[in-house]
Amino acid sequence: NFTDLVRWGEGFGWEPSPLETQRDFLRRHLPGFARRLGKDPALRFLADEHGAGTAFRALVQRVPVKPFA
């Protein structure tokens, strides 16, 4: 449950990013996503907009960086 994960992370001071599809997550973080999508069957499966790419969600939580005083 992502709500529980967000709450748990906030207890540590982590900042959650908006929940996104697995496909969008891969698109943002994988260099050459579009090029590789045409060549890699495993990536096509993971990013399939009618399958795993939208069925699964990704949550990124970050530790905020504090400015130097």
Side-chain angles (χ1 to χ4, degrees):
N1 181 320
F2 285 104
T3 305
D4 290 340
L5 287 173
V6 168
R7 247 187 260 139
W8 182 67
E10 286 173 341
F12 288 106
W14 299 347
E15 297 173 346
S17 67
L19 200 56
E20 62 186 331
T21 66
Q22 176 171 278
R23 180 182 179 88
D24 290 340
F25 177 85
L26 290 170
R27 184 183 293 129
R28 273 192 321 116
H29 293 283
L30 189 61
F33 173 82
R35 176 183 47 80
R36 293 168 72 173
L37 195 58
K39 297 178 180 181
D40 187 341
L43 181 57
R44 273 197 306 275
F45 173 80
L46 292 172
D48 182 1
E49 63 187 320
H50 302 291
T54 55
F56 297 104
R57 304 281 180 201
L59 172 69
V60 175
Q61 294 180 302
R62 293 183 171 92
V63 176
V65 176
K66 297 177 183 172
F68 291 107

